[in-house]
Amino acid sequence: MSKANTPSEITLPASDQGWRTVLAFLCAHFHRIAPEVWQQRVLDGKVYWYDSGEPIRLDTLFKPSRRVCYFREVAIEPLIPFEHQLLYRDEHIVLACKPHFLPVIPGGDFVNECLLERLKRDTGLTDLVPVHRLDNETAGLVLFSCNPQSRAAYYQLFAEGKVEKTYQAVAELPPALQQADLPMQWRVQNRIEKSEPRFLMRQWAGDVNADSSLSLVACREHLGLFELCPHTGKTHQLRLHMQQIGCPILWDKYYPELQPKQRGNFSQPLQLLAQRLRFTDPISGEEHQFQSSRQLQSWPL
């Protein structure tokens, strides 16, 4: 059994929709976890109110908008056999480069084997929070806040689109692009919403909420090297936009068709790398430009 070192938090909905107790809400909300598991966590004192620290009991009544803490547990936690890199640290931020397959934060089968927990162990910083996310399958740069007093300023940078993000991707080229004059450029703008299963996304009719600039910058036989600049931050945005131009990212296990999960198979990582971050520091005014030294497996230098 692997137990999280730090608690997770959840805010109860603003109204009771028939749960009556906190336990009933947790069982309904986390429906993939057996009710008896939640019951045992409550009995063991592993669920408590955020503000008071008072333990939740089996009969504790649901209280709208209150915050609850709990410790995540998994029977067997996978280990990711690739190293992360700590690239920069000051009194406000920490920047790291994560390998493929490693999650940024706890989730699913992972409680301690994630970039956040690795960095806490490396730095000794306990109040460390990512200000943006990458998929487990994507490698590259992730920015963390380590100072709660300045944290909102870094969140705001991403919310207002003031961070220039550049990704690198390799894709199988259709015949029409294999002899193209380079560079080739596309601007893809559409609407992306959740699909089924819930971890997948799909393109949808309606107002634009996803915007990317894509450039084909090099070709090697049937493969193309792309530079991708997302102007918005929707989940799986670059994967779907590459698919839309007829160039799905190489070794994508989700799109265009969901592949069976292969636990422990690290041989073909998604060929997508968050390569560069550029922004003006909202506290110091310094111009930051960070670049990953990682290479995509299918496109070695």
Side-chain angles (χ1 to χ4, degrees):
M1 177 70 69
S2 182
K3 176 186 172 183
N5 295 320
T6 55
S8 297
E9 302 171 9
I10 187 169
T11 300
L12 301 182
S15 62
D16 184 350
Q17 300 173 32
W19 300 297
R20 198 180 75 81
T21 65
V22 175
L23 175 61
F25 165 77
L26 293 171
C27 292
H29 183 78
F30 298 101
H31 56 86
R32 294 184 180 180
I33 300 175
E36 54 268 25
V37 173
W38 278 115
Q39 291 171 11
Q40 192 59 52
R41 289 181 184 179
V42 169
L43 290 171
D44 292 342
K46 297 175 181 176
V47 185
Y48 57 92
W49 293 115
Y50 172 83
D51 50 4
S52 67
E54 180 185 354
I56 301 295
R57 302 186 305 272
L58 295 179
D59 60 352
T60 298
L61 295 178
F62 179 96
K63 297 180 180 180
S65 302
R66 289 281 296 277
R67 200 154 183 81
V68 172
C69 295
Y70 62 94
F71 286 90
R72 298 185 67 255
E73 296 175 334
V74 294
I76 301 176
E77 182 171 14
L79 295 179
I80 305 303
F82 306 109
E83 293 299 318
H84 63 283
Q85 298 165 329
L86 177 58
L87 302 180
Y88 178 82
R89 175 180 175 181
D90 64 26
E91 62 182 307
H92 299 285
I93 56 175
V94 171
L95 184 95
C97 183
K98 84 173 192 72
H100 291 101
F101 304 107
L102 183 72
V104 173
I105 61 172
D109 294 335
F110 298 93
V111 293
N112 295 310
E113 183 66 337
C114 64
L115 183 60
L116 175 61
E117 293 301 324
R118 286 188 181 187
L119 290 177
K120 285 182 178 180
R121 293 193 293 269
D122 287 352
T123 64
L125 298 169
T126 56
D127 195 351
L128 197 60
V129 177
V131 293
H132 68 122
R133 305 284 175 84
L134 292 183
D135 300 331
N136 296 10
E137 295 82 7
T138 304
L141 302 179
V142 185
L143 186 69
F144 290 78
S145 162
C146 58
N147 186 330
Q149 277 68 50
S150 61
R151 186 164 295 154
Y154 293 94
Y155 276 130
Q156 191 170 4
L157 277 182
F158 284 88
E160 295 179 352
K162 293 181 178 179
V163 179
E164 183 181 308
K165 297 172 284 184
T166 305
Y167 289 68
Q168 199 175 63
V170 175
E172 190 96 23
L173 294 177
L177 293 182
Q178 291 178 19
Q179 303 299 323
D181 293 331
L182 302 180
M184 288 195 68
Q185 299 177 339
W186 297 260
R187 185 73 177 260
V188 182
Q189 298 172 307
N190 60 8
R191 185 168 190 82
I192 293 176
E193 298 288 354
K194 286 189 177 295
S195 182
E196 290 294 338
R198 294 284 290 173
F199 58 81
L200 293 180
M201 307 294 287
R202 63 174 175 171
Q203 298 175 38
W204 195 253
D207 294 339
V208 168
N209 66 359
D211 182 4
S212 304
S213 295
L214 318 175
S215 299
L216 173 60
V217 296
C219 296
R220 288 180 184 170
E221 298 179 349
H222 61 289
L223 295 180
L225 180 67
F226 288 79
E227 187 173 272
L228 317 176
C229 296
H231 307 298
T232 52
K234 298 299 289 184
T235 301
H236 297 172
Q237 173 177 319
L238 294 177
R239 299 195 199 194
L240 289 171
H241 284 180
M242 286 291 288
Q243 182 183 330
Q244 184 167 330
I245 67 169
C247 302
I249 298 175
L250 193 64
W251 301 334
D252 193 338
K253 305 301 190 297
Y254 286 8
Y255 308 99
E257 183 177 344
L258 181 62
Q259 304 295 315
K261 189 173 182 179
Q262 296 181 320
R263 185 185 296 273
N265 182 356
F266 304 116
S267 62
Q268 292 187 327
L270 176 72
Q271 295 300 276
L272 181 63
L273 170 68
Q275 188 183 45
R276 293 195 301 274
L277 283 178
R278 181 178 179 180
F279 59 91
T280 301
D281 193 290
I283 306 301
S284 68
E286 181 182 355
E287 290 293 326
H288 286 305
Q289 179 164 306
F290 301 111
Q291 181 155 335
S292 169
S293 61
R294 291 186 188 274
Q295 297 179 31
L296 291 172
Q297 180 178 317
S298 62
W299 199 277
L301 294 178

